[in-house]
Amino acid sequence: MITSYLQIGGSLSGLMCGIVLVHAGHKVTIIEKDTDERQSHMAGVALGSDADQYLASHDRMVNAFSHRSLRVQALNADETIRIFVNGRRDITSWDTYYFRLRAILDHNNQQQTQTMADLVIGADGPDSFVRSKYLPTTKRQYVGYIAWRGTVAETEVSASTRETSRRSVTVHMMHRHHCIMYTIPGANGSLESGERLLNFLWYTNESQGALQDILKDRIDGRKHHNLVPAGRVREEVWNAQIGYTKSVPLPTPFLEVMLKIRRPFIQVITEFCSPRAAFEDGRVLLVGDALSLFRPHTAFSATQAAFHASRVEEYVSGKISLQAWEVRVLRYSCLHWAQSIWWGKFYQDHMSIAVLAGFRYWWYCGTDRVLSWWNMEDPLLRTSSNRVEEYDW
Ligand SMILES: Cc1cc2nc3c(=O)[nH]c(=O)nc-3n(C[C@H](O)[C@H](O)[C@H](O)COP(=O)(O)OP(=O)(O)OC[C@H]3O[C@@H](n4cnc5c(N)ncnc54)[C@H](O)[C@@H]3O)c2cc1C
């Protein structure tokens, strides 16, 4: 019988798994290598239907902590708007979500100091130490593009730009690159009008050679790998990107926000999907980004974390077998990983290549349908259009 739990990694997946175990009456030890107060990138984290279900079971706080968008819309070069997809999307920020989960966990759990455990959960992110022990060749891969990112306070932009983003995720598509913009909570999770932030991302394809220069640290000149944090992007690199807006050119709301970003950061887009999730006869599990890292276009990592945590709950309570646990989490992750690749290639690549990625994704969707029907379960595929609903403006 499993009685003690050790979790490696105390970010969103780690906290979500910790909460389900503590609520089931277990004591959990979480080992987190970052000892400092956690710093968000002040970027958006979308909740999804799995996160909704998870929070409905485990979160007793009633105050909202996410901003609701009702659609994804395309802003065309002539500044007309076209609705891309109607669908609810609740978006929070990493630190708002992190401290919400911490409040639930810390309230219920007294951290243990033991290091012996019956079950180890690897929630240690894309560069997982746990995964590297069992799957040393499964590593994150650069997908050929990066995101130029930053946030601007709502109060700093014009009323028309604010209105464009009020209830919409807005995309501007160009030839093999695109920008996206949406509203997220402000400092301390504030959802008050004027205190929220506009979150801006511009994805551009960059060669390995160009990355050598782009990823060089402003202060010590060393090359970053997956992220150049705020405060470390070289001024000439950011200014060159601003200069590039003139030749593109970006529609006014995007240009306005980009020019007002004071603390830009750069994210290198990487991905992988593990072929296995359980080791040592089910005594070691992988969850969250340690198991599968998606491209960001579907904003799905926190949803995946919630799905994995809920399945861990079912596994440790004996509702599902280890084999059923592993099959479900792998199928879910592989399906949404393929979905994120399809969207990434749609935005950033030649249409012929995107269509090939699309065929693979649609094949996974078909397989999901058939297997779900065969097993008499709900399909694992999640789409934003599952959640279309009216909202009181
Ligand atoms: C500080 C931070 C800020 C983030 N900000 C954003 C954001 O603004 N927007 C966004 O979309 N996503 C953000 N993310 C990523 C987001 O949390 C994940 O994509 C997703 O929610 C799933 O998270 P995860 O817990 O599986 O992995 P991660 O969030 O990557 O967490 C892994 C955790 O494991 C810890 N860890 C790694 N190795 C070890 C080890 N050997 N021993 C102990 N601990 C270890 C890491 O320090 C980290 O806290 C952020 C992640 C972090 C860590």
Side-chain angles (χ1 to χ4, degrees):
M1 195 175 96
I2 297 170
T3 54
S4 58
Y5 299 83
L6 175 68
Q7 280 193 197
I8 303 179
S11 178
L12 302 186
S13 286
L15 293 178
M16 284 190 219
C17 284
I19 288 166
V20 300
L21 296 172
V22 167
H23 281 176
H26 305 288
K27 294 284 184 212
V28 179
T29 302
I30 296 181
I31 299 182
E32 168 53 55
K33 75 173 176 192
D34 264 11
T35 48
D36 305 347
E37 195 62 9
R38 314 304 308 282
Q39 290 293 311
S40 167
H41 307 310
M42 287 316 288
V45 171
L47 308 176
S49 55
D50 292 294
D52 289 348
Q53 282 168 17
Y54 176 90
L55 292 167
S57 300
H58 297 285
D59 182 9
R60 292 287 165 268
M61 285 176 265
V62 290
N63 55 316
F65 68 103
S66 57
H67 178 81
R68 180 161 293 177
S69 287
L70 297 176
R71 65 182 67 90
V72 179
Q73 63 185 15
L75 184 61
N76 301 320
D78 61 5
E79 309 214 350
T80 53
I81 284 180
R82 186 165 46 94
I83 305 292
F84 220 40
V85 57
N86 277 311
R88 188 185 112 194
R89 193 174 277 223
D90 293 335
I91 306 176
T92 186
S93 61
W94 184 87
D95 62 341
T96 307
Y97 203 1
Y98 173 78
F99 286 109
R100 179 79 165 215
L101 295 171
R102 277 291 299 268
I104 306 171
L105 184 70
D106 296 353
H107 182 68
N108 291 284
N109 190 44
Q110 297 298 317
Q111 190 92 305
Q112 305 291 290
T113 51
Q114 73 202 36
T115 48
M116 298 290 288
D118 296 319
L119 177 69
V120 174
I121 298 178
D124 49 347
D127 299 315
S128 170
F129 163 78
V130 178
R131 192 187 68 242
S132 72
K133 290 270 167 214
Y134 299 97
L135 300 169
T137 55
T138 303
K139 293 192 171 134
R140 46 164 50 178
Q141 304 288 335
Y142 177 50
V143 304
Y145 52 90
I146 64 172
W148 306 80
R149 316 183 53 152
T151 56
V152 173
E154 263 183 345
T155 43
E156 291 184 35
V157 300
S158 61
S160 63
T161 296
R162 221 167 30 235
E163 188 53 32
T164 302
S165 305
R166 196 163 73 92
R167 288 287 172 206
S168 305
V169 173
T170 306
V171 185
H172 176 61
M173 286 181 283
M174 297 159 277
H175 179 61
R176 299 184 65 195
H177 58 131
H178 75 288
C179 294
I180 185 162
M181 189 165 71
Y182 49 85
T183 306
I184 60 169
N188 302 321
S190 175
L191 295 170
E192 293 300 315
S193 174
E195 292 182 7
R196 296 170 299 215
L197 302 172
L198 288 181
N199 187 29
F200 168 96
L201 298 96
W202 183 1
Y203 293 94
T204 61
N205 295 336
E206 306 291 347
S207 66
Q208 288 286 358
L211 287 190
Q212 299 299 322
D213 188 49
I214 293 170
L215 301 182
K216 226 185 261 173
D217 188 279
R218 182 177 70 83
I219 296 168
D220 58 22
R222 90 188 154 87
K223 189 191 160 220
H224 291 273
H225 293 290
N226 301 309
L227 186 89
V228 187
R232 296 301 190 120
V233 176
R234 279 155 58 229
E235 219 170 302
E236 57 270 35
V237 166
W238 185 251
N239 286 342
Q241 195 61 18
I242 285 181
Y244 182 37
T245 60
K246 296 195 177 84
S247 59
V248 172
L250 296 183
T252 315
F254 283 98
L255 187 61
E256 185 189 4
V257 173
M258 183 171 180
L259 293 179
K260 288 181 175 160
I261 292 172
R262 294 204 194 95
R263 288 174 56 76
F265 66 98
I266 297 170
Q267 180 185 1
V268 179
I269 310 304
T270 54
E271 70 179 18
F272 71 88
C273 190
S274 297
R276 291 180 57 200
F279 310 90
E280 312 283 2
D281 295 327
R283 303 260 157 192
V284 177
L285 308 179
L286 288 177
V287 295
D289 285 8
L291 174 62
S292 179
L293 180 65
F294 304 140
R295 299 190 190 194
H297 316 292
T298 48
F300 212 74
S301 293
T303 312
Q304 167 177 251
F307 179 85
H308 287 172
S310 300
R311 300 296 80 73
V312 166
E313 183 179 17
E314 291 170 354
Y315 168 53
V316 298
S317 65
K319 284 188 195 138
I320 56 173
S321 66
L322 173 67
Q323 196 204 5
W325 181 84
E326 188 173 33
V327 165
R328 292 213 98 196
V329 297
L330 286 180
R331 220 174 88 209
Y332 181 96
S333 294
C334 191
L335 179 59
H336 294 97
W337 170 63
Q339 184 187 52
S340 76
I341 296 174
W342 146 242
W343 278 108
K345 292 199 183 282
F346 170 79
Y347 285 128
Q348 297 292 129
D349 223 319
H350 290 294
M351 198 37 78
S352 52
I353 294 178
V355 167
L356 286 179
F359 279 135
R360 183 173 64 160
Y361 165 53
W362 298 319
W363 170 258
Y364 286 171
C365 292
T367 310
D368 174 51
R369 284 251 154 208
V370 172
L371 288 174
S372 305
W373 168 78
W374 184 256
N375 296 328
M376 290 187 289
E377 298 164 350
D378 290 334
L380 294 179
L381 178 69
R382 311 287 192 258
T383 60
S384 55
S385 53
N386 289 349
R387 310 177 70 210
V388 178
E389 63 182 49
E390 290 301 312
Y391 186 76
D392 178 10
W393 287 65

